[in-house]
Amino acid sequence: RRFRRAVLAMSIHPSTRHMIKLTTHPSQFDVNPEPFRWGAADPHQRGPIVATVSSPGKRNAVGAHGGTYSVYRAVALAAHATPVGFRPDFTNTLPPCQIGPHPAWSRPEAIVSLDPWGHLPQEIFKERMARGELDLRPTISVTKSHLDLPEIKDAIQAGRLKPDGVHLSTDGAVVTTKAAIEPVWHLPGIASRFGVDETDLRRTLYEQTGGMFPELVTRPDIEVFLPPINGLTIYMVGNVSTIPQPDAPLVVRLHDESYDAELFGSHASTGRQWLVYGIEECVRAAQAGGCGLIIYARQEGNALGEVAKFLVHNLRAKRDAGAAPPGIGAAPGDGRGAECEDRDAEAERVTGAADIRLYELCADALLWLGISRIHSFVTSSVAKASAVEAAGIEIIQTIELPHSYLPPSAHAEARFKALRTSAPPSPAIAPAKHPGNHSMFAPLELPIPPGGSAPRAKMPMRRRVSLTTHAQQFSVSPLPLAWGHRDPATRGGVVATLQQPARRNAIGTHNGPYAVYRAVGIAKGAIDPTRPLDLKSTEPVVKIGPFPSWYDPEAIVALDPWGATVSTDEGPAAAARAAGVSVQPTIAISRFQCKLHEIVEAVDKNRLRPDGNILCDGGVISCVKVSVEPVWYLPGVAKRFNLDEGTLRRKLFEHTGGMFPELVTRSDLKVFLPPIGGGTILIFC
C-alpha cells in the first residue's frame, strides 16, 4: 500500500505532478511537439530532434538519447548523481572537420537510420538553446584519435606498411578521425526499407520487446524513434574531404562487432583478422591520397546477442564431439552445402534465426559521408555489397581477406563464411498476423485520433493492443518467483519470454538491446515468434554453483545466479518447462580458446611459460567464458543504490522516455531485464 501511494505522485510530465501518464496521444493537453520534417534541405526548416524529457510536451521523437545508456542515465538521476534539470555545456564540442551537407541528406528515403544533422544541433540551434527554448543532444560526435595495434607494427616490420608521419606514425599508430553515431530511426523510411507496413512495424516493436515504448502505437504523428540499441563508430584514415570525391581512392570495411575475437583474440574466429586487414587497406588508401573507412557496427553474434551466441557454440562443440542430437543437416540437392546448412540450422534451433543483422541499413552511414563510389570494398559478404549497391553506391572491386592472414584454427569459420555468402538466403517466413492470443498484453481498444491531427501512419482499427498490464488484471497470472530462496523449485525461474504473456514474472524481455533486432526480424517475417526454441545440448560446459550468495536476496541483484540452469532438470525453471511455459537462459557457459599478440610476446620473453593445459604452445589460452545478461531484482538494486524502490522505478520509466510502463503499473513484478549490455567472464582454471 505504501508503494502504491508513492506511485500516485509519479508523472512522465512534470506539469502534472499528481498522476502518471503511461503514454501520450496526439490530441492530449500539453502535447505540442517541436515541428519536424525529415529530409528537408534547410536544417532550420527541418527542425531539431527533441528526445530529452525536460519539456515532455515538445518531444518529437519516441525513446531517449544514448541508446542503451539511457538506462544508466536514469539510474544516475535516481541516485542523484546528475542534477535535476541538468543541461550540458557544448562549448568546443563541434567536429574538427566539416562533414556535409551532402545530397542524400535531403532525400527522405536515402538515410533513415541516423540523423544526418546529428553532429551539429549545438551549432544550428545554439540561439534557441541559449534562450532555454530547446534542450537538445547531438546524436553524432566527431573527434580525432590514434589506433595502436600490435598487428600494424608487425605489418611495418614485415614491410607491408611504411610509416609516413601523417597517417601512420613511426611508432605504428594509425591517425584517424572517428565518428560515434547514435541510432535515430525515421519509422516511415525504416518500414519502407524493410518492406513492411509502418503500423505493423510499430506494433511489433512494441509487443515483441516486452512492451517497450507505448508511444510507438499511440503517437503515429511522431515519426522518429531512438531505439535502445548500440550504434556505429566510423574510423576515417586519411583526408576526410576526399571521401565524397568519386575519383579519390576510397577503401571501406563494414565490420560487425565480434568482441571475443577483437578484444580477447578468439582462436576460432576471423573477426580480428578482417578488422586489422581492413585497417591496413585504409592506411594504403590514405597514403595514396584518398581515405579509408572502418564502419564498426555493434551487432554482436549476428545481432542475436552474446548469450545466444555462446549457447550455439556449446551445441556446435557437442556436435563436433558427436554428442549433439541428430536431425540437423542440409536438404538433399539444395545446392547450399551441408556445413553451411548445419550451422544455420543450429543457430535457428537455439535462437529462432541464424542472422538478424540489419543489412538494409548499412549504407546509411556511407550516404551521410557523401559517398557515391567505393574503389575497394573489403568484404566477403554478398548481403553487404548488395545493400550498398542498392543505395546507389558504385563498388569498383571487392577485396577478401588473404588466406595468409588466417590462423589454421579459423579455417572452419572462413570456409563457412565463403559458403554462406555465396548461398541464396533462406526462404522468408510469411509475416505473422499476430492473432489476439499471441498479443503481448490483454486487449484494450486504441483511441483513434481526431481528424484535426490525422496521422500519416494508419492506426490499428480492429487490432486491439493493451498499453500495459496491472497486478489485478484478470488475465495476469505470473509464475511464482521467490528471489534468493534456497530451494530452486521454490525460487522459480525468470519468465520474460512472450509466448504466454500471462505467465511472465519479469518486466522486459531477453537479449538486452538485441530484443529490438529480434522484433524487426519478426516484423520482416524472418523469425516465427511462435516457434519454440530448442535448447538441447546448449547446457553449461562446467557446473558453477550453487553458492551461499545465491540464497541471499541482497547479495546478487544484477544477474540471475540460476540463469545458466533454466534448461536443466535441477534448475529453478523445471516446473515452468513441465507446464509448457517457455524459459530462456540469461547466462551461457562455454569453452573458449584465444590467442593474443601480447600473450605470445610474454611467452617469447619468458614472462609466461606454457603448461599444456591453460597456456598451450604458440601462446594459445584455454579457458571457460561466461556471458551474463542483466537481470535486475528491483528491490535489491534500489537498496544497493540507497533508493526507494518506487523512485527507482519512476526514474527508470521517465528518464528513458517512457520505456516499460510495467515498471510503475506492476509493483508485484520484482524482476526487470533492462535493454543494456551484459558482462563476460573469462575463467582460467
Side-chain angles (χ1 to χ4, degrees):
R1 290 181 180 177
R2 287 195 301 271
F3 180 74
R4 288 183 181 176
R5 283 198 296 271
V7 165
L8 291 177
M10 303 176 191
S11 172
I12 191 173
H13 285 250
S15 59
T16 54
R17 299 182 182 280
H18 298 289
M19 73 172 79
I20 289 181
K21 292 184 179 178
L22 300 178
T23 189
T24 60
H25 302 272
S27 59
Q28 191 170 313
F29 170 75
D30 201 31
V31 170
N32 186 26
E34 185 74 21
F36 183 80
R37 184 161 61 94
W38 189 272
D42 185 329
H44 294 279
Q45 293 180 1
R46 193 206 73 150
I49 289 178
V50 183
T52 52
V53 297
S54 55
S55 298
K58 289 187 175 182
R59 284 166 50 89
N60 58 18
V62 179
H65 289 287
T68 62
Y69 294 100
S70 63
V71 174
Y72 291 89
R73 182 175 185 273
V75 172
L77 286 168
H80 306 293
T82 303
V84 176
F86 168 78
R87 295 199 180 188
D89 180 356
F90 291 117
T91 303
N92 296 327
T93 63
L94 288 172
C97 59
Q98 181 175 343
I99 295 177
H102 298 295
W105 295 21
S106 56
R107 300 204 316 267
E109 77 287 353
I111 299 176
V112 300
S113 63
L114 60 89
D115 176 11
W117 297 95
H119 54 311
L120 299 172
Q122 68 270 45
E123 175 68 18
I124 297 169
F125 303 103
K126 63 181 178 181
E127 293 181 2
R128 295 186 64 189
M129 293 175 69
R131 293 194 299 265
E133 296 176 12
L134 292 174
D135 183 12
L136 306 179
R137 302 288 186 275
T139 58
I140 298 175
S141 178
V142 185
T143 188
K144 297 282 190 178
S145 73
H146 291 70
L147 302 179
D148 190 358
L149 297 169
E151 292 91 340
I152 297 299
K153 297 176 182 178
D154 289 346
I156 293 174
Q157 291 181 351
R160 296 196 305 272
L161 292 177
K162 294 182 179 181
D164 54 44
V166 177
H167 310 296
L168 182 61
S169 66
T170 55
D171 63 357
V174 179
V175 180
T176 71
T177 301
K178 65 179 180 180
I181 301 179
E182 188 175 291
V184 178
W185 287 7
H186 181 233
L187 288 170
I190 290 284
S192 178
R193 191 76 61 85
F194 291 144
V196 301
D197 177 75
E198 183 189 340
T199 300
D200 288 343
L201 174 65
R202 287 171 175 262
R203 187 190 70 223
T204 306
L205 280 170
Y206 172 67
E207 291 187 345
Q208 295 297 328
T209 55
M212 184 192 297
F213 297 119
E215 285 184 322
L216 284 167
V217 292
T218 66
R219 294 297 302 276
D221 61 312
I222 294 180
E223 297 185 345
V224 174
F225 174 40
L226 277 64
I229 62 176
N230 297 313
L232 305 171
T233 303
I234 304 178
Y235 296 90
M236 296 168 264
V237 183
N239 187 345
V240 174
S241 66
T242 68
I243 293 175
Q245 300 174 12
D247 295 328
L250 180 65
V251 167
V252 173
R253 165 70 184 161
L254 295 178
H255 189 88
D256 295 313
E257 177 184 35
S258 178
Y259 90 92
D260 59 349
E262 294 145 12
L263 182 61
F264 296 117
S266 174
H267 197 41
S269 174
T270 61
R272 187 175 175 96
Q273 286 81 8
W274 272 104
L275 182 60
V276 170
Y277 180 64
I279 294 172
E280 287 189 26
E281 288 296 313
C282 287
V283 171
R284 295 186 185 100
Q287 292 177 335
C291 197
L293 307 179
I294 300 292
I295 300 181
Y296 191 89
R298 286 164 179 83
Q299 301 186 108
E300 177 67 46
N302 290 350
L304 300 168
E306 191 185 52
V307 168
K309 175 180 174 180
F310 286 13
L311 293 173
V312 174
H313 286 179
N314 284 351
L315 175 59
R316 289 174 180 165
K318 291 184 179 181
R319 176 207 61 192
D320 293 342
I328 301 175
D334 67 357
R336 297 193 62 191
E339 181 180 5
C340 179
E341 185 74 6
D342 282 359
R343 290 173 69 100
D344 278 352
E346 288 161 353
E348 289 168 5
R349 282 186 54 208
V350 176
T351 69
D355 188 347
I356 52 176
R357 285 174 287 180
L358 304 180
Y359 292 110
E360 298 93 334
L361 307 180
C362 68
D364 284 20
L366 302 175
L367 294 174
W368 174 64
L369 293 168
I371 294 172
S372 60
R373 176 183 293 170
I374 297 172
H375 291 75
S376 297
F377 192 36
V378 183
T379 190
S380 63
S381 171
V382 173
K384 291 179 181 178
S386 298
V388 169
E389 290 177 327
I393 299 173
E394 179 187 4
I395 299 174
I396 295 179
Q397 67 169 342
T398 58
I399 301 177
E400 296 199 21
L401 182 68
H403 196 267
S404 60
Y405 281 66
L406 290 174
S409 55
H411 285 174
E413 179 179 301
R415 185 170 60 252
F416 164 67
K417 286 184 175 180
L419 288 169
R420 198 168 194 270
T421 54
S422 61
S426 299
I429 300 168
K433 297 300 182 183
H434 305 286
N437 61 335
H438 290 301
S439 176
M440 173 58 210
F441 299 113
L444 176 71
E445 193 72 39
L446 281 172
I448 301 175
S453 58
R456 199 208 63 75
K458 297 182 295 181
M459 291 291 288
M461 301 296 288
R462 296 184 176 85
R463 175 74 171 91
R464 295 163 66 88
V465 180
S466 178
L467 300 180
T468 190
T469 61
H470 302 271
Q472 304 303 318
Q473 199 166 312
F474 75 93
S475 61
V476 170
S477 54
L479 289 182
L481 180 63
W483 193 271
H485 199 284
R486 179 173 292 273
D487 177 23
T490 304
R491 207 301 295 251
V494 172
V495 181
T497 51
L498 305 172
Q499 285 84 353
Q500 297 185 42
R503 310 301 280 165
R504 286 165 47 89
N505 57 22
I507 300 164
T509 190
H510 291 283
N511 296 334
Y514 295 102
V516 173
Y517 289 86
R518 185 178 186 275
V520 170
I522 291 172
K524 294 193 298 183
I527 299 175
D528 180 358
T530 66
R531 174 182 176 177
L533 302 182
D534 185 351
L535 299 175
K536 294 184 180 69
S537 299
T538 65
E539 297 83 2
V541 297
V542 296
K543 183 178 181 181
I544 297 177
F547 301 111
S549 57
W550 294 23
Y551 313 134
D552 182 350
E554 297 181 358
I556 300 177
V557 300
L559 59 88
D560 178 8
W562 297 93
T565 66
V566 297
S567 62
T568 65
D569 292 336
E570 63 270 18
R577 290 188 293 108
V581 176
S582 176
V583 290
Q584 195 168 319
T586 57
I587 297 176
I589 305 173
S590 181
R591 297 282 182 189
F592 185 55
Q593 285 191 323
C594 58
K595 184 175 182 179
L596 292 169
H597 186 281
E598 293 84 351
I599 298 299
V600 173
E601 183 180 59
V603 172
D604 291 342
K605 295 183 177 181
N606 293 321
R607 296 199 305 270
L608 290 175
R609 293 184 179 180
D611 56 69
N613 183 24
I614 297 172
L615 181 58
C616 304
D617 292 336
V620 176
I621 300 172
S622 180
C623 61
V624 172
K625 64 178 178 180
V626 182
S627 177
V628 181
E629 187 176 294
V631 178
W632 288 8
Y633 177 58
L634 289 170
V637 170
K639 187 171 183 179
R640 191 74 61 85
F641 290 121
N642 296 315
L643 291 170
D644 171 74
E645 184 187 341
T647 299
L648 174 64
R649 287 173 176 258
R650 174 171 61 90
K651 294 293 187 181
L652 281 170
F653 175 65
E654 290 183 354
H655 290 283
T656 55
M659 184 192 297
F660 295 118
E662 285 186 322
L663 284 165
V664 292
T665 66
R666 294 297 302 274
S667 58
D668 60 313
L669 298 183
K670 302 297 184 183
V671 172
F672 173 43
L673 277 66
I676 61 176
T680 304
I681 305 169
L682 297 186
I683 303 174
F684 303 91
C685 62

